[in-house]
């Protein structure tokens, strides 16, 4: 069997890693499988650690992979409870978010997951957590006086370590129970079914 390796560097100054090609993907998506396998934004730290452990990932890998929230956005409905009900949030940050995420309505209004550099793949996500500027409850759980604080501190001061650990964990995630045999398909475009 031939395994083709492609070197992907998707953004200047961001992490890069070697992607093993030939992974078989599903041709369909499952809402129920997503709901039962994907951790939710209101989970606490121990539930996040358990969810990742159920898939063979360590707490360190939980912290590294969550660094993906250095880019992208989330809807008001998934962070509303955090900005209105939680105490472990920077007061000015909460106030600014409430302007576009009212206590009722505006469910689909967006806010960046990384408030300081929303489109750059960097380690600002971890610095935000240190300043209690995590957008999701689950983000702030990673730096809330618990067992993962030290890893957040490490990544906040060492982006090279974050990039290395992130790349390794991405490859590991790509190898997570792929379909085998004739199930599913090898995509010709990784963004969509053939
Ligand atoms: C630790 C557990 C995680 C939780 C609870 C979580 C939760 C969420 C939620 C609720 C959103 C917003 C979705 C929406 O508003 O519709 C989101 C967005 C996002 N997540 Fe996560 N996530 C987690 C881990 C990850 C991981 C491991 C990755 C990738 C390595 C990731 C990458 C992203 C990206 C890129 C976005 C932005 C999507 C966009 O802007 O279109 N997340 N996440
Ligand atoms: C975390 O959440 C789980 C599930 O909701 C709950 O049983 C547990 O008591 C929570 N742990 C802490 C430390 O709050």
């Amino acid at each position: 069997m031939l395994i083709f390796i492609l070197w992907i560097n998707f953004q200047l100054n961001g992490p890069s890693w070697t992607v093993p090609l030939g992974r078989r993907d599903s041709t369909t998506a499952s809402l129920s499988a997503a709901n039962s396998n994907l951790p939710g934004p209101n989970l606490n730290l121990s539930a996040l650690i358990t969810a990742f452990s159920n898939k063979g990932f360590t707490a360190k890998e939980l912290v590294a992979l969550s660094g993906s929230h250095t880019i992208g956005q989330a809807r008001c409905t998934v962070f509303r409870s955090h900005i209105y009900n939680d105490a472990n949030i920077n007061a000015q940050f909460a106030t600014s978010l409430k302007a576009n995420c009212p206590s009722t309505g505006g469910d689909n209004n967006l806010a960046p997951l990384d408030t300081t550099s929303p489109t750059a793949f960097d380690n600002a996500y971890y610095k935000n957590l240190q300043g209690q500027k995590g957008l999701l409850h689950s983000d702030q759980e990673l730096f809330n006086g618990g067992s993962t604080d030290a890893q957040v501190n490490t990544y906040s001061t060492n982006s090279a370590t974050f990039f290395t650990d992130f790349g390794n964990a991405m490859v590991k995630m790509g190898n997570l129970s792929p379909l085998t045999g004739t199930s599913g398909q090898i995509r010709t475009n990784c963004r969509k079914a053939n």
Side-chain angles (χ1 to χ4, degrees):
M1 186 178 70
L2 276 174
I3 298 179
F4 294 89
I5 305 287
L6 177 68
W7 186 264
I8 293 186
N9 187 343
F10 66 87
Q11 189 169 359
L12 211 64
N13 300 324
S16 56
W17 58 92
T18 307
V19 179
L21 299 185
R23 183 187 197 279
R24 301 188 78 83
D25 272 315
S26 176
T27 54
T28 56
S30 164
L31 180 61
S32 64
N35 284 337
S36 59
N37 285 285
L38 290 178
N42 295 315
L43 294 190
N44 61 31
L45 179 60
S46 63
L48 288 167
I49 290 174
T50 298
F52 273 64
S53 170
N54 287 343
K55 300 292 178 184
F57 288 87
T58 64
K60 182 177 176 179
E61 288 166 333
L62 158 67
V63 177
L65 286 171
S66 295
S68 181
H69 289 177
T70 178
I71 54 168
Q73 305 185 91
R75 291 165 300 145
C76 169
T77 186
V78 302
F79 62 81
R80 176 182 286 120
S81 171
H82 180 53
I83 66 174
Y84 285 93
N85 302 328
D86 287 347
N88 61 346
I89 185 169
N90 175 284
Q92 285 181 326
F93 179 58
T95 299
S96 69
L97 288 165
K98 287 173 185 172
N100 198 36
C101 181
S103 52
T104 55
D107 282 7
N108 294 326
N109 293 353
L110 298 172
L113 286 155
D114 170 0
T115 186
T116 52
S117 56
T119 61
F121 201 111
D122 56 20
N123 65 345
Y125 168 80
Y126 301 103
K127 297 178 185 177
N128 295 339
L129 297 185
Q130 292 174 320
Q132 297 197 312
K133 292 179 181 173
L135 182 64
L136 307 180
H137 173 83
S138 52
D139 290 323
Q140 198 57 58
E141 280 290 298
L142 302 180
F143 191 87
N144 194 36
S147 61
T148 49
D149 281 18
Q151 197 59 48
V152 170
N153 287 335
T154 296
Y155 291 150
S156 77
T157 54
N158 194 333
S159 62
T161 304
F162 164 49
F163 287 177
T164 300
D165 290 355
F166 182 82
N168 288 335
M170 285 296 287
V171 172
K172 181 170 171 179
M173 194 163 62
N175 288 327
L176 183 59
S177 21
L179 297 175
T180 56
T182 55
S183 301
Q185 63 182 201
I186 299 171
R187 292 181 173 178
T188 53
N189 176 344
C190 63
R191 293 164 182 252
K192 59 184 179 73
N194 296 338

